Amino acid sequence: MAGKSRAKVTRVWLWRWRRSPLRRRSDRAEAWIVLGTWLLALLGAVLAGVATAEAMEQGMAENRAQTRAVSAVLTEDATESDTGTDLGPVWVKVRWTDANGGSHTDRTKADADATAGTTVTVWVNREDELVSKPVAPSEARRQAAAGGMLVALGAGTGLLVAGRLPRALLERRRLAAWQAEWERVGPGWRKRMLG
């Protein structure tokens, strides 16, 4: 490296905020845009994430409140799936009685080796229709937190990307101003250099 010299580049932090004769109005405007964008992205991400998490957790709590577990009886033997190798849950017909004594039938999943007459627990809504088992409170908190973080990340990223638009417009104006200035000053420089 004897013949090559490297120029050390010193980065000046917050240069748009410092007093300098080289700083333009557009530099100050860009500094405010960057600051505002980051603050808005941070605040927007937090608010969107918290609102989403709360809405998800509330929705799952309402779902838990509107469902209840009931005992149901298999009305047929559970059989293996079409492949003949799956010993996991299979769809089977069940019957249960509602609070008013009415009988209901539907299909639910049960173990492949379950026989007719086996009692299983199913979940029903207020209309006594079969529904999925509601999410437990601890799992609901985890899902709500994960959903909130994803929404926060998306909202923050979206706001940061949106903040690039005014900066791009400023850059376009700056380049147009430089071009106009060069067209005014450039011919005089060329004459001095050539002549």
Side-chain angles (χ1 to χ4, degrees):
M1 295 233 155
K4 292 186 178 181
S5 65
R6 287 189 168 186
K8 185 175 181 180
V9 177
T10 304
R11 196 178 250 310
V12 179
W13 293 100
L14 303 172
W15 68 270
R16 289 181 179 99
W17 297 98
R18 296 173 190 247
R19 292 196 184 277
S20 169
L22 300 176
R23 186 182 66 187
R24 300 160 295 201
R25 273 188 22 212
S26 63
D27 293 330
R28 275 195 313 268
E30 186 174 12
W32 282 107
I33 290 170
V34 169
L35 178 64
T37 299
W38 276 97
L39 290 175
L40 187 63
L42 181 63
L43 181 64
V46 168
L47 291 177
V50 168
T52 299
E54 286 178 358
M56 286 179 68
E57 197 164 355
Q58 181 180 0
M60 288 183 263
E62 287 174 7
N63 185 34
R64 278 193 305 279
Q66 294 174 1
T67 59
R68 64 183 180 5
V70 296
S71 293
V73 177
L74 273 61
T75 60
E76 61 187 12
D77 290 342
T79 57
E80 292 184 13
S81 67
D82 295 335
T83 62
T85 58
D86 183 17
L87 296 178
V90 294
W91 287 99
V92 64
K93 197 176 207 179
V94 293
R95 181 182 62 242
W96 70 95
T97 305
D98 65 24
N100 297 327
S103 181
H104 300 274
T105 58
D106 205 340
R107 297 184 73 75
T108 191
K109 287 200 169 193
D111 291 333
D113 59 353
T115 59
T118 303
T119 301
V120 294
T121 301
V122 295
W123 292 85
V124 295
N125 61 16
R126 291 183 177 167
E127 288 80 34
D128 281 305
E129 300 166 334
L130 282 184
V131 294
S132 300
K133 181 179 179 180
V135 178
S138 60
E139 180 62 24
R141 279 190 295 279
R142 278 193 292 277
Q143 287 183 18
M149 284 191 284
L150 284 174
V151 168
L153 181 64
T157 302
L159 289 167
L160 287 175
V161 169
R164 297 289 296 168
L165 178 64
R167 290 179 66 196
L169 294 174
L170 266 178
E171 185 66 20
R172 181 182 286 171
R173 284 180 70 192
R174 238 186 330 246
L175 291 174
W178 285 348
Q179 181 68 30
E181 184 71 15
W182 182 248
E183 286 173 2
R184 186 177 65 80
V185 174
W189 279 29
R190 273 189 227 119
K191 287 179 186 175
R192 274 189 245 151
M193 293 183 80
L194 294 175

